[in-house]
Amino acid sequence: MAELNTGGNEGKGGKKVRSKKQNAGVDLTAMVDLAFLLITFFMLTTSLSKPQSMDLQMPDKKDVPIEDRIKVKESKTMTILLGKNNMLKYYVGMFSSPIEGPTDSTYGKDGIRKVILQKIANLKAQGLTGEQGQIVIIKATDEATYTNMIDILDEMAITGIEVYAINDITEAEKAIMQ
């Protein structure tokens, strides 16, 4: 039982003892019970925040023989290069003989998103959708920021690219990002 006493100091100092007055006391038992009920209620009904993460599958570390590798049309492969100062370039096909690019672009809906959506629409017109559609390879230089990588991964989610990979940048690609 919890109780709050507000009594004074009777009987001290040799004063005349008068009739004893009853101290005003507040019984806190009901308030303590209510506090525990509220704590229990919120502990049982509150759900912890769920982490928001994006599924990202990394390739196996073991080398796959060339004949076992999946062959992809160059026209379906877009490589996005991330550099310093929010620099972004993309090209289609192989770096040594690109079908398109390398072209400068920006992040956002008027930049790389617009380009990716156009490529998806072109492939969709040919009947290639989903995993048969556009493939994006993302390569970042050492000067690219973490925010740049998150932004481009967000673009993959927004545009609905089903197949994309993060790969190491080559020296030749680094040279054009300077």
Side-chain angles (χ1 to χ4, degrees), residues 80-118:
I80 298 174
L81 304 172
L82 309 177
K84 64 181 176 183
N85 300 328
N86 299 326
M87 183 188 300
L88 185 144
K89 291 186 180 201
Y90 71 92
Y91 63 89
V92 177
M94 301 290 291
F95 180 75
S96 57
S97 57
I99 297 171
E100 178 184 335
T103 307
D104 290 330
S105 186
T106 60
Y107 296 93
K109 69 177 187 177
D110 292 328
I112 194 68
R113 186 182 313 166
K114 187 175 182 181
V115 174
I116 292 171
L117 289 174
Q118 182 63 42

Side-chain angles (χ1 to χ4, degrees), residues 67 69 78 87 97 111 116 124 126 129 150 166 176:
E67 48 282 342
R69 293 183 183 174
M78 172 190 276
M87 183 188 300
S97 57
I116 292 171
K124 191 179 277 186
Q126 298 172 10
T129 60
I150 297 299
I166 299 171
I176 66 165

Side-chain angles (χ1 to χ4, degrees), residues 1 3 11 14 23-24 60 74 84 102 104 111 132 134 157 174:
M1 178 172 149
E3 186 175 335
N23 289 335
D60 289 338
E74 290 181 28
K84 64 181 176 183
D104 290 330
Q132 301 297 321
Q134 187 69 46
K174 279 182 187 176

Side-chain angles (χ1 to χ4, degrees), residues 31-143:
M31 198 165 94
V32 171
D33 288 344
L34 182 64
F36 279 112
L37 281 173
L38 286 173
I39 291 170
T40 306
F41 172 76
F42 285 114
M43 285 175 55
L44 295 176
T45 58
T46 302
S47 64
L48 300 176
S49 65
K50 296 176 182 170
Q52 297 177 350
S53 62
M54 178 182 288
D55 292 333
L56 181 64
Q57 297 178 355
M58 299 301 284
D60 289 338
K61 291 187 175 187
K62 61 183 177 185
D63 289 332
V64 177
I66 292 176
E67 48 282 342
D68 291 343
R69 293 183 183 174
I70 299 170
K71 297 188 189 257
V72 178
K73 287 184 177 179
E74 290 181 28
S75 61
K76 293 180 8 179
T77 305
M78 172 190 276
T79 303
I80 298 174
L81 304 172
L82 309 177
K84 64 181 176 183
N85 300 328
N86 299 326
M87 183 188 300
L88 185 144
K89 291 186 180 201
Y90 71 92
Y91 63 89
V92 177
M94 301 290 291
F95 180 75
S96 57
S97 57
I99 297 171
E100 178 184 335
T103 307
D104 290 330
S105 186
T106 60
Y107 296 93
K109 69 177 187 177
D110 292 328
I112 194 68
R113 186 182 313 166
K114 187 175 182 181
V115 174
I116 292 171
L117 289 174
Q118 182 63 42
K119 300 288 181 200
I120 291 172
N122 291 345
L123 289 173
K124 191 179 277 186
Q126 298 172 10
L128 301 172
T129 60
E131 292 182 2
Q132 301 297 321
Q134 187 69 46
I135 297 172
V136 176
I137 300 170
I138 302 167
K139 297 180 177 183
T141 63
D142 292 337
E143 293 89 18

Side-chain angles (χ1 to χ4, degrees), residues 8-29:
N9 47 357
E10 297 96 21
K12 292 184 178 177
K15 291 184 180 178
K16 188 176 179 182
V17 177
R18 295 189 180 178
S19 65
K20 192 172 186 179
K21 293 183 180 177
Q22 190 72 359
N23 289 335
V26 179
D27 187 12
L28 300 176
T29 306

